[in-house]
Amino acid sequence: MYKYNKLWVYLFIVPTLLVFVTFYFVPIITVFTTGFTEWNGFNPPKLVGFDNYKMIFTDDNSLTVSLINLFKWSMIATFIHVPFGALVAFIIFKRPVGWRFVRGVFMIPNVIAVSAWAIIYRFIFNDQMGLLNNFIRKLGFSNFHTNWFFDMKYAFSAISFTWVFYAVIVTLLVLSDLMAIPKELHEAAKIDGATEAQIHWRINLPLIRGSLGTSVILSIIARITMFEAIFLTTKGGPGNSTYNISVMLYDGIINYQFGYANAVATIMIILGIGVLIITTKVFRMNKSVYN
């Protein structure tokens, strides 16, 4: 009987294993290995050692600018994007009047593709017919004219605005953790005289640290791989004010430098692993919240 069950276990695991190896493991190994080659996609890869990495780190300041922009976007993700999504979850958790409507409206952006959002924001931030500038001019600033995506002073903020309040995933994660907290804990705290603020600070926040940590990881990794919002609006400019690692990778691909592009992709993977390790430690995600 035990051997019979074991056979069924293997039969269910094998398809998943094949999908993982084919679509994840092999491409990742290919990225790592071809990052050490000169490869234009037509001829066989030629081993060049660390030349691609030397080019990335020394040829120009593209990587430095990309990492600085990534750091700033990561800070925005950690201290604005995730707290905003968590705040909405806390409000919905209290089920005030109209909470179902708010929840429904807040979920709508999730069904719209990121590329579509980028196009929508191109019109919102358009100088002549854009919603934002026209609204400002209606307020009495009739001579107000700003090309948000094409002005070095505002392009970074404009790009950030396209995703910073797009926090429905954070809300869902935090809300599911809040709903999983035993009601007895809240009732006991109220009997002991705890205020709403103390319940949130002493009970809710510690017990949802797993979902907060997961949200931070997802949000920062989304910033590492952010491409559509930049490419469809500023293309990394003006200058290099919105340049990032994903655009570096794209530049390598369109110039048929696939070895260089895969070296950039390797750096992205290493950054993602670093974010995963650091956030796991900071939020103590490897420990049970109820211990």
Side-chain angles (χ1 to χ4, degrees):
M1 185 67 181
Y2 174 73
K3 287 183 178 177
Y4 181 76
N5 288 338
K6 204 172 178 181
L7 178 64
W8 275 106
V9 170
Y10 285 126
L11 281 175
F12 279 109
I13 288 176
V14 166
T16 305
L17 198 62
L18 284 174
V19 170
F20 174 77
V21 170
T22 307
F23 295 104
Y24 292 94
F25 186 71
V26 171
I28 289 173
I29 294 300
T30 303
V31 165
F32 276 124
T33 53
T34 54
F36 295 100
T37 65
E38 181 182 346
W39 184 29
N40 60 12
F42 299 104
N43 299 315
K46 178 185 172 185
L47 190 64
V48 293
F50 287 91
D51 284 2
N52 289 325
Y53 291 94
K54 288 178 185 173
M55 195 187 308
I56 291 170
F57 282 97
T58 60
D59 264 14
D60 53 34
N61 65 345
S62 296
L63 182 65
T64 305
V65 170
S66 299
L67 291 179
I68 291 172
N69 285 340
L70 174 62
F71 176 76
K72 291 193 284 187
W73 275 320
S74 297
M75 292 298 102
I76 293 171
T78 304
F79 296 108
I80 299 178
H81 177 75
V82 172
F84 173 73
L87 177 64
V88 175
F90 272 93
I91 293 171
I92 293 175
F93 179 63
K94 285 295 174 187
R95 301 190 176 188
V97 177
W99 70 274
R100 291 180 190 277
F101 174 76
V102 172
R103 186 182 62 178
V105 169
F106 198 62
M107 302 297 170
I108 290 174
N110 197 46
V111 301
I112 300 176
V114 177
S115 53
W117 267 119
I119 300 296
I120 291 170
Y121 273 99
R122 280 180 61 178
F123 288 101
I124 291 175
F125 289 135
N126 185 279
D127 182 33
Q128 296 300 324
M129 60 180 180
L131 191 66
L132 180 60
N133 282 7
N134 277 318
F135 176 72
I136 294 173
R137 286 193 280 266
K138 290 280 186 188
L139 292 177
F141 303 95
S142 55
N143 294 322
F144 184 84
H145 290 283
T146 295
N147 283 308
W148 298 95
F149 282 129
F150 304 102
D151 189 321
M152 286 192 72
K153 287 191 293 185
Y154 304 113
F156 184 89
S157 301
I159 288 288
S160 304
F161 200 81
T162 63
W163 59 265
V164 71
F165 298 115
Y166 189 78
V168 64
I169 300 298
V170 177
T171 300
L172 289 175
L173 288 171
V174 173
L175 187 60
S176 63
D177 258 10
L178 284 172
M179 294 175 76
I181 295 174
K183 291 180 180 176
E184 292 80 6
L185 288 177
H186 291 155
E187 290 167 359
K190 286 176 182 173
I191 291 171
D192 288 342
T195 63
E196 277 296 309
Q198 286 172 326
I199 290 173
H200 286 314
W201 185 253
R202 299 283 186 182
I203 298 176
N204 292 342
L205 280 176
L207 293 181
I208 64 166
R209 70 167 190 269
S211 57
L212 289 175
T214 303
S215 300
V216 170
I217 290 170
L218 292 175
S219 185
I220 295 179
I221 287 178
R223 307 290 73 79
I224 294 173
T225 59
M226 185 166 64
F227 177 73
E228 297 99 323
I230 295 174
F231 185 75
L232 293 172
T233 53
T234 65
K235 297 186 187 302
N240 52 19
S241 59
T242 60
Y243 202 73
N244 77 341
I245 300 178
S246 292
V247 180
M248 273 184 75
L249 189 152
Y250 172 80
D251 287 343
I253 292 172
I254 60 169
N255 290 318
Y256 299 101
Q257 296 175 303
F258 293 109
Y260 173 89
N262 284 343
V264 173
T266 300
I267 293 172
M268 292 172 69
I269 293 171
I270 292 170
L271 285 172
I273 293 171
V275 169
L276 186 65
I277 293 171
I278 293 170
T279 310
T280 299
K281 284 191 175 296
V282 170
F283 285 86
R284 294 182 290 133
M285 295 170 64
N286 52 351
K287 295 180 181 176
S288 172
V289 292
Y290 289 98
N291 284 340

